């Protein structure tokens, strides 16, 4: 029996993950002999899962989703600077000798649609202070953005993040009037299906501001609708989802995803 190189996404629950669809699309488009699966891994089984997989030469690695993004950092051989920076790991890559390297592709995935924009010294508003916000703030700090205003339900958490990422800025309540900003990012769960709406008055934003919503279910959130109605440029959550997956795909399979197929992939993800 021949065996195929494979990667997978692990989490609990895992049925909702769109990663198998994205990676499977690229594997087919490139005609690779490889596979990408989903694996339901419970917190109590995480360490045993990692030890089993590290001895499997066909296993190229895994993407990691809730609730394992923190615990996995203790189980890889080389976590790089992920713990000290973003504080959450979403990708594990197996080296040929069985050692495991961990990284986080969310920050680069978030930043990819903004790469052509000079954010140095640009005022930015971030809504949220959870795991996704950490990746966003890490990328913004790297880009030299600031001051950064964080709007969050729990102000202390947000203040801690400004300090962690060495960002100048302030923390405001979710219902505070917005300061002017070049970029507004929703990194909270607000606006997601089943969650309360994110209701912001966008009128203080200048007309060249960009509004970026990480939420991808639904894809067209109330925030993006309001931004488009004001004529502002918008970026939706699928850009980041596809961007973080693209970086992991290359780490697993050694080739970049095919170019020029994003519209097809987006249509598949929305079907
Ligand atoms: P998380 O760690 O649980 O953080 C959730 C954030 O939303 C926190 O700031 C929390 O405020 C806030 N929040 C939740 N419910 C709220 C409510 N009822 N009222 C006010 N604030 C509320 O979640 P996460 O992993 O950061 O994910 C956040 C969002 O980003 C989700 O919609 C997720 O799907 C999306 N996301 C998208 C991508 C992508 O690739 N597009 C990647 C990662 C995440 P407190 O701090 O006060 O609790």
């Amino acid at each position: 029996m021949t065996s195929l190189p494979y990667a997978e996404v692990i989490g609990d629950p895992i049925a909702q993950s769109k990663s198998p669809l994205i990676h499977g699309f690229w594997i087919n488009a490139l005609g690779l002999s490889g596979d990408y699966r989903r694996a339901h891994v419970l917190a109590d089984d995480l360490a045993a899962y990692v030890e089993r997989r590290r001895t499997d030469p066909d296993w190229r690695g895994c993407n990691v989703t809730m609730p394992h993004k923190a615990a996995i950092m203790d189980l890889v051989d080389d976590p790089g600077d992920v713990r000290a920076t973003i504080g959450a790991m979403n990708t594990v890559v197996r080296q040929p000798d069985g050692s495991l390297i961990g990284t986080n592709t969310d920050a680069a995935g978030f930043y990819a649609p903004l790469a052509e924009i000079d954010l140095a010294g640009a005022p930015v508003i971030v809504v949220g202070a959870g795991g996704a916000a950490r990746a966003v703030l890490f990328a913004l700090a790297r880009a030299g953005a600031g001051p950064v205003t964080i709007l969050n339900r729990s102000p202390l958490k947000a203040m801690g993040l400004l300090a962690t990422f060495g960002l100048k800025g302030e923390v405001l309540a979710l219902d505070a009037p917005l300061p002017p900003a070049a970029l507004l990012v929703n990194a909270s769960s607000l606006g997601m299906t089943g969650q309360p709406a994110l209701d912001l008055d966008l009128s203080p934003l200048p007309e060249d501001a960009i509004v970026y919503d990480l939420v991808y279910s639904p894809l067209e959130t109330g925030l993006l609708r309001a931004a488009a109605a004001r004529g502002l440029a918008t970026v939706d959550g699928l850009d980041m989802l596809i961007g973080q997956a693209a970086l992991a795909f290359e780490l697993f399979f050694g080739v970049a995803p095919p170019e020029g197929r994003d519209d097809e992939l987006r249509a598949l993800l929305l079907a």
Side-chain angles (χ1 to χ4, degrees), residues 128-133 152-154 157 174 187-190 192 195-196 214-216 237 240-241:
N152 199 50
R153 177 175 59 181
S154 318
K157 220 163 120 185
L174 284 163
S188 78
S189 317
L190 295 172
M192 220 174 129
Q195 297 291 319
L214 268 51
V215 170
Y216 54 82
M240 175 170 168
L241 192 70

Side-chain angles (χ1 to χ4, degrees), residues 65-66 69 90 106 109-110 127-136 150-155 157-158 161 174 186-198 212-217 236-245:
T65 188
M66 299 289 283
K69 284 187 172 188
N90 78 334
D106 277 337
F110 159 73
V127 184
R134 294 184 73 99
V136 167
I150 305 182
L151 272 60
N152 199 50
R153 177 175 59 181
S154 318
K157 220 163 120 185
L161 290 191
L174 284 163
N186 176 32
S188 78
S189 317
L190 295 172
M192 220 174 129
T193 305
Q195 297 291 319
L198 175 58
Y212 191 155
D213 201 335
L214 268 51
V215 170
Y216 54 82
S217 177
D236 67 43
L238 280 192
D239 280 335
M240 175 170 168
L241 192 70
I242 294 171
Q244 59 80 25

